[in-house]
C-alpha cells in the first residue's frame, strides 16, 4: 500500500496536539492510535492488536529479549536512584556550596556546563546525564533555571557528537558512508570524508557558537526569559545529612570511569582490528551506561550506609529515597516507550521515504540543493523524532543525487543532511534526545521544547542562509564569515536589550 500523504498525518497531529494541549503523553498516545488505524486501513480492532504487539516487541522480538531497549530503561531508573541517593547524602548541596565559592555568577555556571558538555564527547546520552549531575548543583546555586540547563546540555552534546569521529554518532555516520562509497565505487576514505563533511555542518557549528555565547552573556530568549524570572526548579528532595563534595564526586567519577571502561572493553571484544575507531564503533554504549550507573548507585549506597552508621540512624528512609529518585525519571521512561512505538509505526508508514521522495522530485538548480536538503531533512527528523533514522535514509539519497547532478556537491549535501537531521531532532517533542535532555536536567519535556525552540530556530535560519551561500559560491569561508558576524550581531542585540530591561527597574 502506498501511504503517501497519509504517512505524515500522525506526526502533524501529534505536533499540533503538543502545541495546543502541552501534554506530551496524551499527544503521543493519540498519534500512535491514528498511525495504527492507518496501518490497518481503518480496522480499529486490528489496530489495537497492532499497538499491543508493538509494545510487546519493545521488550521481546524475534525470539530474543530486546536488550538495547531494556538497557536504556534500566539506565534511566538507575540514574534516578543514583540521583536520589546523592541528594540524600547531601552531595549536591555540598558541591554547590563548594563550587559556589569559586563560581559565583550565572555566566560562570553556564560556561562550566557548556565546557563539560563538549568535553564528554563519546556519547550524547552519557554527556547529558553526567554533565547535569556535575553542574546541576552549580546551576542551582547560581539561580539558573533547569530549562536553561536542559538547553545547554542538549545543545552541546549532540552537536559535538555529530562532528566528532570518536563518538557513537561519528562511528554510526562513518559506517553509513562506508556502505555508500562501496555501493557507488567511490574511493574516498570514509573517515577523511566525515571530517570534511563536519567542516560544513553549519547547524552544529552555529549551535555550538551560539550556546557558548548565550552562556557567556547569559542570553535568555522567548519563553526562557519567563523561566528565568520564575526560576521554578524541579529538584530531588534535599538531605537532612551534612554531606561532603566527595559524596558527589565519588559516585559521578564511578559512573564515568565505569561506563567508559566498559565501552572500551566491549568495543575491543567486538572488533576484529582493535583500532580506536573500531573500538568506539563496536562498543555497547547502552550496556556500558547501565554498568556505570549500577556501580555508581552501589557506591552511593555504601556512602549512605557509612553516614547512617556514623550518625547511628536507621535505614528506614532508603526505600523512599530510591522511590523518590526513580520517580523523577519515570516520566522520561513513559515518554520514551511511547516514542519507540511511534517510531516503529512511522517506519511502517514510510514517512521518511515519502518525504525523501519530495526531494527527489524537486527540480531546481544544483546550487539550491544544499538548502533544500537542509529544510526537508529538518522536516523529516522533526516529524519522525529521529536524527539517526534520517541519516540512514537521506545520506544515500544525497550521494545518489550528487552523483547524478554535480559530484562536487556530494559532501555539501551530506553536511546539509546532518545539519537538518540535528535541527529537526532538537526541536521535535517526540525525539528521544529531547526526552533525555529534559529528564537529565530535571525539567518537564514540554518546557524544554518551548524554551529551546527560539535558540534552535535562530541557528536554523543562520544555517539555511549559510547553505544557500555555500551552494552559490562553493566556498566554505563565506558561510563561516556570515555565521560569525550574524551571531556576533545577535548577541550584541540581545545583550543590549537585556541591559536596557534591567536599567528600567
Amino acid at each position: 500500500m502506498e501511504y503517501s500523504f497519509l504517512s505524515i498525518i500522525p506526526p502533524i497531529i501529534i505536533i499540533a496536539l503538543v502545541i495546543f494541549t502541552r501534554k506530551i503523553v496524551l499527544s503521543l498516545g493519540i498519534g500512535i492510535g491514528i498511525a495504527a488505524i492507518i496501518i490497518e486501513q481503518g480496522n480499529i480492532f486490528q489496530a489495537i492488536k497492532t499497538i499491543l504487539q508493538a509494545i510487546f516487541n519493545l521488550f521481546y522480538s524475534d525470539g530474543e529479549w530486546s536488550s538495547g531497549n531494556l538497557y536504556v530503561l534500566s539506565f534511566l531508573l538507575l540514574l534516578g536512584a543514583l540521583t536520589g541517593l546523592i541528594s540524600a547524602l547531601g552531595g549536591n548541596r555540598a558541591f554547590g556550596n563548594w563550587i559556589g565559592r569559586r563560581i559565583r555568577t550565572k555566566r560562570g555556571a553556564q560556561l562550566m556546563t557548556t565546557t563539560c558538555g563538549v568535553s564528554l564527547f563519546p556519547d550524547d546520552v552519557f554527556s547529558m546525564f553526567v554533565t547535569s549531575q556535575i553542574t546541576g548543583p552549580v546551576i542551582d546555586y547560581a539561580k539558573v533555571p533547569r530549562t536553561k540547563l536542559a538547553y545547554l546540555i542538549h545543545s552541546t552534546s549532540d552537536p559535538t557528537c555529530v562532528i566528532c569521529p570518536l563518538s557513537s554518532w561519528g562511528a554510526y555516520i562513518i559506517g553509513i558512508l562506508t556502505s555508500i562509497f562501496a555501493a557507488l565505487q567511490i574511493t574516498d576514505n570514509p573517515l577523511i570524508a566525515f571530517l570534511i563533511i563536519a567542516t560544513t555542518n553549519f547547524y552544529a557549528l552555529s549551535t555550538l557558537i551560539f550556546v557558548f555565547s548565550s552562556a557567556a552573556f547569559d542570553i535568555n530568549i522567548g519563553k526562557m526569559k519567563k523561566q528565568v524570572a520564575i526560576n521554578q526548579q524541579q529538584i530531588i528532595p534535599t538531605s537532612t545529612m551534612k554531606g561532603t563534595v566527595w559524596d558527589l564526586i565519588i559516585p559521578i567519577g564511578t559512573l564515568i570511569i565505569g561506563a567508559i571502561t566498559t565501552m572500551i572493553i566491549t568495543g575491543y571484544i567486538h572488533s576484529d582490528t582493535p583500532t580506536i575507531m573500531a573500538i568506539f564503533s563496536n562498543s555497547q554504549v547502552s550496556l556500558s551506561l547501565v554498568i556505570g550507573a549500577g556501580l555508581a548507585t552501589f557506591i552511593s549506597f555504601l556512602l549512605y550506609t557509612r553516614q547512617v552508621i556514623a550518625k547511628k540512624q536507621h535505614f528506614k528512609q532508603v526505600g523512599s529515597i530510591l522511590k523518590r529518585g526513580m520517580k523523577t525519571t519515570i516520566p522520561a521512561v513513559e515518554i520514551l516507550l511511547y516514542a519507540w512505538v511511534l517510531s516503529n509505526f512511522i517506519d511502517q508508514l514510510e514517512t521518511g521515504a515519502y518525504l525523501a521522495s519530495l526531494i527527489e522530485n524537486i527540480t531546481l538548480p544544483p546550487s539550491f540543493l544544499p538548502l533544500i536538503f537542509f529544510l526537508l531533512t529538518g522536516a523529516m527528523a522533526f516529524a519522525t523524532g529521529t536524527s539517526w533514522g534520517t541519516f540512514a535514509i537521506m545520506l544515500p539519497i544525497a550521494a545518489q543525487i550528487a552523483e547524478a547532478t554535480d559530484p562536487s556537491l556530494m559532501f555539501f549535501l551530506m553536511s546539509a543532511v546532518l545539519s537538518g537531521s540535528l535541527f529537526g531532532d532538537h526541536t521535535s517533542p517526540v525525539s528521544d534526545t529531547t526526552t533525555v535532555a529534559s529528564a537529565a536536567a530535571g525539567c518537564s519535556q514540554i518546557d524544554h521544547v518551548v524554551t529551546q525552540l527560539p535558540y534552535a530556530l535562530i541557528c536554523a535560519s543562520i544555517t539555511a542562509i549559510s547553505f544557500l551561500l555555500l551552494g552559490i559560491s562553493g566556498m566554505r569561508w563565506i558561510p563561516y564569515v556570515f555565521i560569525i558576524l550574524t551571531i556576533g550581531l545577535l548577541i550584541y542585540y540581545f545583550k543590549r536589550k537585556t541591559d536596557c530591561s534591567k536599567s528600567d527597574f
Side-chain angles (χ1 to χ4, degrees):
M1 176 180 178
E2 292 289 338
Y3 294 108
S4 62
F5 181 74
L6 287 176
S7 66
I8 64 172
I9 289 179
I12 290 174
I13 290 175
I14 290 170
I15 302 304
L17 286 173
V18 167
I19 292 171
F20 288 109
T21 67
R22 294 176 64 87
K23 295 180 180 179
I24 296 284
V25 173
L26 174 64
S27 304
L28 285 171
I30 293 173
I32 287 169
I34 292 172
I37 290 172
I38 293 174
I39 290 171
E40 298 303 334
Q41 303 180 42
N43 189 324
I44 295 178
F45 293 106
Q46 189 62 34
I48 294 172
K49 183 179 177 181
T50 299
I51 292 172
L52 295 176
Q53 184 63 46
I55 294 171
F56 179 78
N57 289 342
L58 290 178
F59 304 100
Y60 190 84
S61 179
D62 297 328
E64 60 183 21
W65 291 100
S66 304
S67 58
N69 292 346
L70 292 172
Y71 287 148
V72 171
L73 298 178
S74 298
F75 173 68
L76 286 172
L77 294 174
L78 277 171
L79 197 82
L82 172 63
T83 309
L85 284 168
I86 291 174
S87 183
L89 282 165
N92 283 341
R93 181 190 296 173
F95 185 79
N97 291 335
W98 177 77
I99 202 73
R101 292 192 293 270
R102 293 156 179 80
I103 300 177
R104 298 176 179 274
T105 64
K106 292 183 178 181
R107 174 177 178 271
Q110 292 177 70
L111 283 175
M112 178 185 175
T113 302
T114 50
T115 302
C116 187
V118 169
S119 302
L120 299 170
F121 56 81
D123 183 72
D124 58 326
V125 174
F126 175 75
S127 174
M128 285 189 279
F129 273 112
V130 173
T131 300
S132 65
Q133 290 299 308
I134 293 174
T135 66
V138 190
I139 288 290
D140 295 339
Y141 191 91
K143 300 189 184 305
V144 176
R146 285 296 178 116
T147 48
K148 190 65 176 288
L149 174 61
Y151 161 64
L152 296 176
I153 61 175
H154 200 179
S155 295
T156 50
S157 60
D158 291 354
T160 301
C161 287
V162 81
I163 61 176
C164 177
L166 298 178
S167 70
S168 55
W169 289 54
Y172 175 73
I173 294 167
I174 290 170
I176 295 175
L177 294 180
T178 301
S179 62
I180 292 172
F181 290 175
L184 297 178
Q185 296 182 344
I186 298 173
T187 58
D188 295 73
N189 183 297
L191 174 58
I192 301 300
F194 174 84
L195 294 174
I196 295 171
I197 292 167
T199 63
T200 50
N201 190 333
F202 295 134
Y203 182 77
L205 297 174
S206 298
T207 299
L208 287 172
I209 295 171
F210 198 65
V211 72
F212 269 95
S213 300
S214 67
F217 296 99
D218 191 27
I219 301 299
N220 301 295
I221 307 168
K223 296 285 186 180
M224 192 72 79
K225 275 186 179 180
K226 187 175 180 182
Q227 288 291 316
V228 170
I230 300 173
N231 200 10
Q232 292 178 336
Q233 301 169 5
Q234 299 179 25
I235 307 171
I236 292 179
T238 55
S239 171
T240 58
M241 296 183 176
K242 186 178 179 181
T244 68
V245 172
W246 294 107
D247 290 322
L248 175 71
I249 293 177
I250 292 175
I252 297 305
T254 302
L255 171 60
I256 295 172
I257 294 170
I260 292 179
T261 301
T262 308
M263 284 182 197
I264 294 171
I265 292 172
T266 56
Y268 183 86
I269 291 172
H270 293 92
S271 299
D272 295 328
T273 54
T275 61
I276 293 177
M277 281 302 305
I279 287 172
F280 274 93
S281 177
N282 295 304
S283 64
Q284 294 182 269
V285 176
S286 55
L287 172 62
S288 302
L289 292 174
V290 170
I291 291 176
L295 288 172
T297 302
F298 178 69
I299 293 296
S300 297
F301 179 75
L302 293 181
L303 292 172
Y304 182 81
T305 301
R306 177 182 59 84
Q307 280 199 24
V308 169
I309 293 173
K311 295 179 180 295
K312 297 181 180 179
Q313 296 178 345
H314 45 72
F315 288 92
K316 265 188 189 178
Q317 294 183 331
V318 172
S320 60
I321 288 170
L322 294 175
K323 185 178 178 180
R324 284 198 303 266
M326 287 189 285
K327 198 173 180 180
T328 61
T329 54
I330 284 176
V333 169
E334 186 178 18
I335 292 171
L336 203 54
L337 289 171
Y338 276 77
W340 281 341
V341 173
L342 178 66
S343 177
N344 176 272
F345 288 169
I346 289 293
D347 185 55
Q348 291 186 52
L349 287 170
E350 299 179 349
T351 302
Y354 171 69
L355 292 172
S357 69
L358 297 180
I359 293 179
E360 292 178 319
N361 293 328
I362 291 175
T363 54
L364 284 173
S367 58
F368 285 89
L369 285 175
L371 172 61
I372 298 300
F373 265 83
F374 170 70
L375 295 176
L376 287 183
T377 53
M380 183 186 300
F382 181 79
T384 59
T386 169
S387 53
W388 282 35
T390 307
F391 295 160
I393 294 170
M394 294 307 302
L395 284 174
I397 291 174
Q400 291 164 9
I401 289 179
E403 278 281 293
T405 55
D406 185 353
S408 67
L409 290 175
M410 182 174 295
F411 289 169
F412 293 166
L413 297 188
M414 288 181 170
S415 296
V417 168
L418 299 184
S419 287
S421 301
L422 186 61
F423 164 60
D425 186 68
H426 261 189
T427 53
S428 176
V430 298
S431 163
D432 55 352
T433 61
T434 302
T435 302
V436 169
S438 54
C443 67
S444 74
Q445 183 154 333
I446 189 63
D447 284 341
H448 173 45
V449 171
V450 298
T451 52
Q452 178 167 266
L453 187 60
Y455 297 88
L457 289 175
I458 287 172
C459 291
S461 300
I462 293 171
T463 301
I465 298 173
S466 298
F467 276 119
L468 181 60
L469 293 172
L470 180 68
I472 293 172
S473 68
M475 293 181 285
R476 290 177 174 83
W477 68 268
I478 293 178
Y480 290 160
V481 172
F482 171 74
I483 290 170
I484 293 171
L485 286 177
T486 304
I487 291 179
L489 289 171
L490 284 170
I491 293 300
Y492 174 77
Y493 168 75
F494 287 125
K495 181 62 179 170
R496 187 175 179 185
K497 191 174 180 182
T498 301
D499 292 340
C500 291
S501 298
K502 289 180 181 177
S503 65
D504 290 338
F505 291 96

